[in-house]
Amino acid sequence: MSSSMELWTVCLSLFINHGFAGKMKIVEEPNTFGLNNHFMAQGSRLQPKATPSPASGPVHLHRLAGKCFSLTESTYKYEFCPFHNVTQHEQSFRWNAYSGILGIWQEWEMANNTYTGMWMRDGDTCGTRNRETKVIFVCSTSSKLAQVSEPSTCVYSLIFETPLVCHPHSLLVYPTLTEKLQGEWDEAEQARYEGLITEQVEQFG
Ligand SMILES: *[C@@H]1O[C@H](CO)[C@@H](O)[C@H](O)[C@H]1NC(C)=O
Ligand SMILES: *[C@@H]1O[C@H](CO)[C@@H](O)[C@H](O)[C@H]1NC(C)=O
């Protein structure tokens, strides 16, 4: 059912319940009804293209799963649900205000033994590709979505502030590995170290 149809139904039922006095009141407030109905319609209209991956990475961050953090910037409200999704909702009274998925949780970006960003991919179509979002975790005294930008078309960048990453080891990859992977990592590091020694010996020997 379209928003305008819902609005009409609400108006009609109020009219029947309250007669002309009620009708006068409704004419003053159609936007309130439109907005409420509209936001409910928005939620159900979003069709995810993918299912989120299971939570992964630092275990102490898994408690963020199931929570959502929002930021309203000019006419858009952004919502970040860690290990789930990022969505965007135009704050407008228009019946067809834009609402979309900017990414579904997929995987961590890692560099230098550190989790450097949470990738949310397979968002709504944008030309020939899908919208995607990288969420960067930054230490702060409270958890909040602090910043949203679009560094390249349909690729979004979010800054999420949280006390959960203030410890210098909180985003290290190594402690999150299984014993087996730690063993493989140690071997690779050892080989790399020996490679460096060999290189130096060749260079300076
Ligand atoms: C986004 O994630 C939240 C939190 O898990 C969930 O309630 C909501 O339905 C998700 N939205 C979409 C469009 O997948
Ligand atoms: C890699 O991580 C170490 C320890 O956290 C840091 O000191 C170093 O600057 C990082 N290097 C790069 C290239 O980011």
Side-chain angles (χ1 to χ4, degrees):
M1 187 157 55
S2 76
S3 299
S4 53
M5 181 77 99
E6 280 168 24
L7 177 60
W8 170 239
T9 312
V10 170
C11 290
L12 190 64
S13 60
L14 284 176
F15 175 67
I16 290 165
N17 289 341
H18 302 290
F20 276 105
K23 188 185 172 199
M24 294 305 288
K25 191 160 182 287
I26 297 151
V27 173
E28 288 163 23
E29 300 183 323
N31 279 347
T32 316
F33 288 117
L35 188 67
N36 291 340
N37 286 333
H38 172 53
F39 279 150
M40 278 192 280
Q42 264 186 346
S44 56
R45 208 163 59 213
L46 295 178
Q47 291 295 336
K49 282 197 182 72
T51 46
S53 302
S56 64
V59 172
H60 68 285
L61 297 182
H62 293 188
R63 76 186 68 168
L64 294 171
K67 299 198 167 103
C68 295
F69 302 86
S70 65
L71 171 68
T72 302
E73 236 181 36
S74 62
T75 57
Y76 285 103
K77 179 179 166 196
Y78 297 86
E79 195 159 52
F80 167 50
C81 306
F83 301 109
H84 232 109
N85 58 50
V86 173
T87 53
Q88 183 188 39
H89 309 272
E90 189 183 349
Q91 303 297 287
S92 158
F93 292 108
R94 289 194 298 122
W95 68 272
N96 61 344
Y98 173 78
S99 193
I101 300 176
L102 303 186
I104 303 287
W105 157 243
Q106 190 162 353
E107 61 187 356
W108 285 100
E109 179 179 292
M110 289 175 252
N112 189 23
N113 186 24
T114 307
Y115 290 103
T116 49
M118 192 177 243
W119 272 106
M120 319 293 259
R121 304 190 199 272
D122 291 325
D124 287 344
T125 307
C126 169
T128 56
R129 50 190 294 187
N130 295 325
R131 290 170 207 271
E132 56 182 359
T133 303
K134 178 179 169 178
V135 185
I136 296 166
F137 283 57
V138 174
C139 165
S140 182
T141 51
S142 64
S143 288
K144 70 166 197 278
L145 185 55
Q147 218 177 298
V148 174
S149 59
E150 191 178 354
S152 65
T153 310
C154 297
V155 179
Y156 302 82
S157 175
L158 267 53
I159 305 286
F160 177 65
E161 295 184 349
T162 175
L164 295 173
V165 299
C166 291
H167 191 279
H169 295 169
S170 60
L171 287 173
L172 290 185
V173 173
Y174 188 86
T176 68
L177 299 178
T178 60
E179 223 169 283
K180 180 165 175 290
L181 285 175
Q182 284 185 348
E184 285 172 18
W185 181 301
D186 293 342
E187 274 171 34
E189 283 297 301
Q190 183 65 25
R192 200 169 68 92
Y193 176 72
E194 280 163 11
L196 284 179
I197 301 288
T198 318
E199 249 173 60
Q200 280 173 3
V201 170
E202 278 166 3
Q203 240 174 330
F204 305 111

